[in-house]
Amino acid sequence: MGFDLHTHTNFSDGILSPVELVDLSIKSGLEGIAITDHDTVLGIDDAIKQSKKYFDFIVIPGIEFGSVHNNEEVHILGYFIDYKNDLLLETIKKLHESRYERAIKMIKKLVNLNIDLSIEDVLKHSSKDNIGRPHIARAMIEKGYVKNVSEAFDIYLDRGKIAYVDRYQLSVEDTIKLIHFTGGIASLAHPGLLKDKLIIEYCIRNGIDAIEAKYTMHSDDEKELYINIARKNNLLITGGSDFHGDRGVLGDSFVDLKEINDLRGRLKNV
Ligand code: AMP
Ligand code: ZN
Ligand code: FE
Ligand code: FE
């Protein structure tokens, strides 16, 4: 049934462990997945180990960096990265520390808004020391302050909203450079979600290798548009569901073996 190249585990803001995710992928009929947790590679080993139980099931080591450009979040996926690379691990550590400090600051803002939340409440939802805003949102749901994650983002957590605080993020340029440094392929995640579409050109100018045309939240027209952009600019195509366990359907978007082989072929040329 193909390869879902965009999935999250509980090493970032997904719900399932890497082992549970691999098991569910098998049940869903997938031939392979890429683990693309936000700013971390620490769940990859568990997934690869579990995949060995299944004949021929492939786990591609990946990551989804939350980069920033002109004050907009730009998510960049890395595939086939050397996930043991020292510079990568050092960068990830810095990102995690900054996520923790940011969570403390955001909780302070929420407390000032009479929302009774502590870092312990949030850490209950983030088992792996890599705190994202969805963890804060889940703590707010648990305590009855919001109905769902979207409401928490819309009112409090989104960029520019009342409890938002910046964190250390890599630039688009540095993210692509880091992915290449680790021997990987860089793909622009969910281009359809970008507010400023000029960011696509910016990524191309900075050496992005691929674009995530096949994304669950893209309409058929968007998918076609991004496939055409890929063709014109000699980019590869990636695709995936952005499965988190509490949203997204695993395998809803996927690529075929041909696209995987194209990615592998490009590896030698990065
Ligand atoms: P962070 O890692 O703290 O930057 O949080 C980013 C993650 O939050 C995204 O990758 C999504 O999983 C989730 N997210 C971002 N915006 C929203 C939103 N408006 N509603 C629900 N989830 C969101
Ligand atoms: Zn996420
Ligand atoms: Fe994303
Ligand atoms: Fe994602």
Side-chain angles (χ1 to χ4, degrees), residues 79-248:
Y79 293 114
F80 297 106
I81 48 175
D82 168 14
Y83 64 99
K84 310 272 185 188
N85 178 275
D86 283 342
L87 179 62
L88 178 68
L89 293 172
E90 231 172 79
T91 306
I92 281 169
K93 190 159 175 274
K94 265 198 247 168
L95 290 165
H96 293 187
E97 282 163 5
S98 155
R99 281 172 168 279
Y100 187 89
E101 283 158 24
R102 190 256 307 247
I104 299 274
K105 288 181 194 158
M106 287 183 75
I107 291 166
K108 220 177 242 169
K109 280 196 167 187
L110 289 166
V111 168
N112 284 337
L113 293 163
N114 287 323
I115 291 177
D116 174 30
L117 214 63
S118 67
I119 186 69
E120 287 75 26
D121 295 327
V122 173
L123 285 172
K124 262 202 282 173
H125 296 271
S126 164
S127 50
K128 306 293 178 190
D129 207 19
N130 181 24
I131 307 176
R133 284 170 289 165
H135 299 120
I136 301 177
R138 286 174 198 151
M140 292 174 79
I141 296 169
E142 193 186 12
K143 293 202 131 188
Y145 290 108
V146 287
K147 284 194 295 294
N148 51 47
V149 175
S150 299
E151 189 185 328
F153 270 87
D154 289 350
I155 304 175
Y156 302 102
L157 309 179
D158 227 343
R159 196 168 272 266
K161 297 293 160 77
I162 41 180
Y164 180 78
V165 175
D166 271 331
R167 64 178 175 86
Y168 166 60
Q169 289 177 291
L170 297 182
S171 66
V172 163
E173 214 179 320
D174 287 346
T175 303
I176 296 171
K177 275 190 199 150
L178 181 59
I179 292 169
H180 286 169
F181 183 72
T182 64
I185 296 275
S187 180
L188 176 61
H190 39 66
L193 304 188
L194 287 171
K195 285 191 213 102
D196 176 6
K197 299 291 192 234
L198 289 176
I199 289 175
I200 301 170
E201 316 299 324
Y202 182 77
C203 289
I204 296 171
R205 280 204 303 281
N206 280 285
I208 202 107
D209 309 289
I211 187 164
E212 190 180 44
K214 298 179 179 179
Y215 183 69
T216 298
M217 276 151 78
H218 285 168
S219 65
D220 286 348
D221 283 352
E222 281 176 310
K223 188 170 126 183
E224 205 181 301
L225 170 71
Y226 296 119
I227 288 174
N228 280 330
I229 289 178
R231 250 185 227 129
K232 276 193 205 125
N233 293 282
N234 191 29
L235 303 177
L236 301 174
I237 286 163
T238 68
S241 65
D242 210 355
F243 177 74
H244 279 77
D246 61 348
R247 77 203 135 83

Side-chain angles (χ1 to χ4, degrees), residues 30-60:
L30 286 162
E31 294 167 77
I33 53 171
I35 306 275
T36 54
D37 273 317
H38 299 289
D39 295 341
T40 194
V41 289
L42 301 181
I44 293 170
D45 265 336
D46 287 357
I48 289 179
K49 216 183 276 170
Q50 183 67 2
S51 73
K52 305 251 190 268
K53 289 192 182 166
Y54 302 103
F55 178 70
D56 255 9
F57 185 80
I58 291 171
V59 170
I60 295 166

